[in-house]
Amino acid sequence: MNNFHGVVNSLYLQKAAEIFLPIKQLTYERMHIIPGATLLDVGCGPGIDVNALSKLTGGAGEVIGIDHDHAMLKNAAQFCESNLRNNKFEFIHGTANELPFKNHYFDACRSERLFMHLKYPERALFEMHRVTKQGGIVVVADTDWSSLSIDTEHPETEQILSNYRITQVLNNGYSGRNLYRLFRQTGFSNIAVEVMPICLTDYNLFNFLSMQQSVEDQALASQSIQESTLKHWRENLKQFADNNCFYCCVNIVVVSGEKSC
Ligand SMILES: C[S@@+](CC[C@H](N)C(=O)[O-])C[C@H]1O[C@@H](n2cnc3c(N)ncnc32)[C@H](O)[C@@H]1O
């Protein structure tokens, strides 16, 4: 089950991109991009990263974004067409489980906040490894949802909702903390793990970025939480927000690895 499917849209991802900019930049650095490089962004969303990657190749490279959402790809193409005049870029409809490229094609591949949605993450990483050249780099960034920490007077409710998100809403809720193991099992060498926290003190922004309200509504509908418990939780966070003291933090895990020669 993945109850976020179809909920995330381009507008959401453009807003999120501002918050995730340092993470995006770290993934670009780890890709070791040189002018003229051939690059792939899996689960490319509205094309923000294809746009940035294309500029980093000096316009001389070839950058491809792939996503399974047609509407997202349409927005991505419009965004990049208006930003990248002479650069070579392409958006392709497809799934991370079966990348439509030949072996050893890309100098580097990346993926950001995709793996949490995948039923078969090991298949997607195998595919990214397959289409990367020997000596090339694969970088995956994903949220470690088990690290989500919200300041609340109801930590037991926090646990219920967190477990519900990880096990019922997301297909692969533990993706962030599993990534290192996945890279090892796929056979990468020179694997590096970096963790970047995202801290928010704006309750509305937290709700927007984490889709917390949707998780809470689904937990209620499935009777995983009682209405009165949820009411107390919401009142408490609203009170903290009204007093300008809302706080939460979650880790983003960035794993990079080299395809052995
Ligand atoms: C949270 S968004 C992140 C988008 C982009 N990486 C970014 O950072 O802005 C996840 C994206 O993955 C895409 N996606 C989800 N499952 C996919 C799959 N199995 N194959 C390809 N794309 C997928 C969604 O359509 C969405 O655009």
Side-chain angles (χ1 to χ4, degrees):
M1 178 172 34
N2 185 335
N3 294 327
F4 286 155
H5 179 70
V7 176
V8 174
N9 59 29
S10 290
L11 208 63
Y12 165 90
L13 289 172
Q14 266 149 16
K15 178 73 190 157
E18 295 166 24
I19 307 293
F20 289 99
L21 188 61
I23 289 143
K24 290 182 180 301
Q25 283 170 340
L26 177 66
T27 65
Y28 308 156
E29 275 175 41
R30 294 297 167 262
M31 289 169 85
H32 298 160
I33 299 165
I34 53 164
T38 308
L39 307 174
L40 176 67
D41 186 26
V42 184
C44 64
I48 293 158
D49 301 291
V50 167
N51 181 60
L53 292 172
S54 185
K55 286 178 179 162
L56 288 169
T57 65
E62 179 188 7
V63 184
I64 298 178
I66 185 163
D67 203 287
H68 71 174
D69 184 328
H70 283 290
M72 203 70 86
L73 289 168
K74 196 173 162 206
N75 284 320
Q78 282 169 354
F79 176 65
C80 285
E81 274 156 22
S82 61
N83 272 283
L84 302 167
R85 296 271 170 239
N86 300 314
N87 299 19
K88 201 170 164 199
F89 65 88
E90 193 179 352
F91 290 101
I92 292 177
H93 181 257
T95 167
N97 292 336
E98 209 175 328
L99 296 175
F101 310 106
K102 57 187 183 193
N103 296 350
H104 316 297
Y105 187 77
F106 295 97
D107 293 299
C109 297
R110 82 184 284 282
S111 166
E112 179 189 330
R113 287 173 297 128
L114 163 71
F115 272 54
M116 69 182 98
H117 300 294
L118 299 178
K119 277 189 186 142
Y120 309 107
E122 63 290 340
R123 177 76 204 163
L125 193 60
F126 171 88
E127 281 292 273
M128 291 173 81
H129 182 271
R130 179 184 66 76
V131 302
T132 301
K133 288 176 187 168
Q134 289 184 334
I137 305 286
V138 172
V139 186
V140 178
D142 221 36
T143 309
D144 177 8
W145 281 110
S146 48
S147 73
L148 176 61
S149 173
I150 305 169
D151 180 31
T152 172
E153 286 169 344
H154 304 287
E156 64 296 332
T157 310
E158 180 194 13
Q159 279 308 311
I160 293 169
L161 292 169
S162 178
N163 285 338
Y164 186 81
R165 176 195 293 273
I166 290 168
T167 62
Q168 304 301 314
V169 178
L170 293 164
N171 284 323
N172 182 25
Y174 288 111
S175 60
R177 72 187 204 189
N178 287 344
L179 270 182
Y180 175 71
R181 175 157 48 94
L182 215 54
F183 268 68
R184 278 259 169 253
Q185 290 168 345
T186 309
F188 285 98
S189 53
N190 294 326
I191 301 173
V193 183
E194 289 157 285
V195 178
M196 295 184 85
I198 299 278
C199 297
L200 300 173
T201 54
D202 180 331
Y203 183 43
N204 290 328
L205 185 59
F206 162 68
N207 274 323
F208 178 71
L209 288 177
S210 68
M211 301 192 170
Q212 179 70 16
Q213 297 286 327
S214 167
V215 172
E216 293 174 4
D217 291 344
Q218 289 174 52
L220 185 63
S222 66
Q223 299 181 337
S224 299
I225 195 165
Q226 287 186 348
E227 198 165 355
S228 58
T229 308
L230 189 55
K231 186 167 172 281
H232 290 136
W233 159 264
R234 284 178 166 166
E235 282 171 357
N236 179 222
L237 291 189
K238 175 144 187 340
Q239 185 203 352
F240 283 2
D242 289 345
N243 289 303
N244 291 322
C245 53
F246 172 81
Y247 166 88
C248 78
C249 189
V250 68
N251 287 332
I252 310 293
V253 183
V254 180
V255 182
S256 55
E258 188 179 320
K259 179 167 171 176
S260 308
C261 292

